[in-house]
Amino acid sequence: MLTWAGASTAVLWLATVGMMIVKAPGTVTTFYRIQAIAEAGLGAVMAISGHLPILWVTVGLTVLIRVIAIPRIVNHGITSPNTHYSAKAPMGMGALLIYALFCTIGGLLVGELGLPRPVVAGMIFASMFVSFVHLSSRYEAWSMLWALLSLDTIVDAGVLVFAPTLPELTDLGLIGISLALAVVLAFVARQIQALKNSLDVRELEELIG
C-alpha cells in the first residue's frame, strides 16, 4: 500500500508542476483533474490500509467535486478558455523547472524529519512548495486562480496522510472550500473579462508588481 501511496503523491506532484508551467487554461484544467484523481487515489489507499471506510466518502466527493464540477465551473467563468495564452512571466520555464527541483528536494528533506511515511509526506510538501512558487511566479489571472485551487487540493491530500482519523467534517469542509473558491474565482474571472475583454496578462498590466 505504501508503494501505491507513493505513486499517488508522485502523480500529485507531477500534476502540480504541470499546472505551474503550462501556458493555456485548457491544458491546466487537465492537470488539475489529474491532480484531483491522484488525491482520490491517495484517499483510497488510506481507506484500505488504515481500515477507514469513511474515507471512501472523501474519495467519492473528490471525484464529483474536484474532477467533474470545479473544472466546469471555472471554465464557465473563463470565456473560451482555449483562446487564452500567455508566456509572460518574471522567469522562464527553465527557471521554473529548476525551482521545482529545489522545491522537490526541500520537500523530501522535510519528509525525513521524523514524519510517518517520509516519502509520501515529502512529495506532498514538495507539491505544496511548488504551488507556492506557482502563485508567486505567474502573472496570468487564470493561472493564479488554478494555483489557488491546486493548493487547496494539496492541503486536503496532506490531511489524508497526516491525520486520516480526523472527523469526516474536516475533509468535507476542505472540499466545500474548493467548491466555494471555484465559484468565486469563476465569477472574478468573468468580471475581469467583462471589464478588460481578456485574461491575458499582456492586457492586465495592473496585476504585475
Side-chain angles (χ1 to χ4, degrees), residues 166-174:
L166 280 178
E168 180 63 19
L169 286 177
T170 302
D171 279 329
L172 296 180
L174 287 169

Side-chain angles (χ1 to χ4, degrees), residues 7-13 15 33-43 67 157:
S8 295
T9 50
V11 172
L12 182 82
W13 172 81
R33 284 192 168 108
I34 293 172
Q35 188 189 55
I37 290 170
E39 187 210 343
L42 182 61
V67 178

Side-chain angles (χ1 to χ4, degrees), residues 103-117:
C103 288
T104 303
I105 294 172
L108 292 173
L109 290 175
V110 171
E112 294 291 337
L113 299 178
L115 293 173
R117 304 182 182 88

Side-chain angles (χ1 to χ4, degrees), residues 47 70 103 108 123 125 130 205:
I70 286 177
C103 288
L108 292 173
M123 293 305 293
F125 276 108
V130 169
E205 294 294 333

Side-chain angles (χ1 to χ4, degrees), residues 28-122:
V28 79
T29 301
T30 300
F31 278 113
Y32 177 79
R33 284 192 168 108
I34 293 172
Q35 188 189 55
I37 290 170
E39 187 210 343
L42 182 61
V45 170
M46 299 304 296
I48 295 170
S49 63
H51 304 289
L52 297 168
I54 190 65
L55 289 183
W56 288 108
V57 176
T58 297
V59 172
L61 287 175
T62 297
V63 173
L64 289 174
I65 301 300
R66 291 196 170 110
V67 178
I68 300 173
I70 286 177
R72 291 185 179 181
I73 291 170
V74 175
N75 286 333
H76 180 72
I78 301 175
T79 304
S80 302
N82 291 327
T83 65
H84 294 291
Y85 174 89
S86 180
K88 189 172 182 179
M91 61 187 77
M93 294 301 109
L96 287 177
L97 288 173
I98 291 173
Y99 275 107
L101 176 61
F102 284 132
C103 288
T104 303
I105 294 172
L108 292 173
L109 290 175
V110 171
E112 294 291 337
L113 299 178
L115 293 173
R117 304 182 182 88
V119 174
V120 174

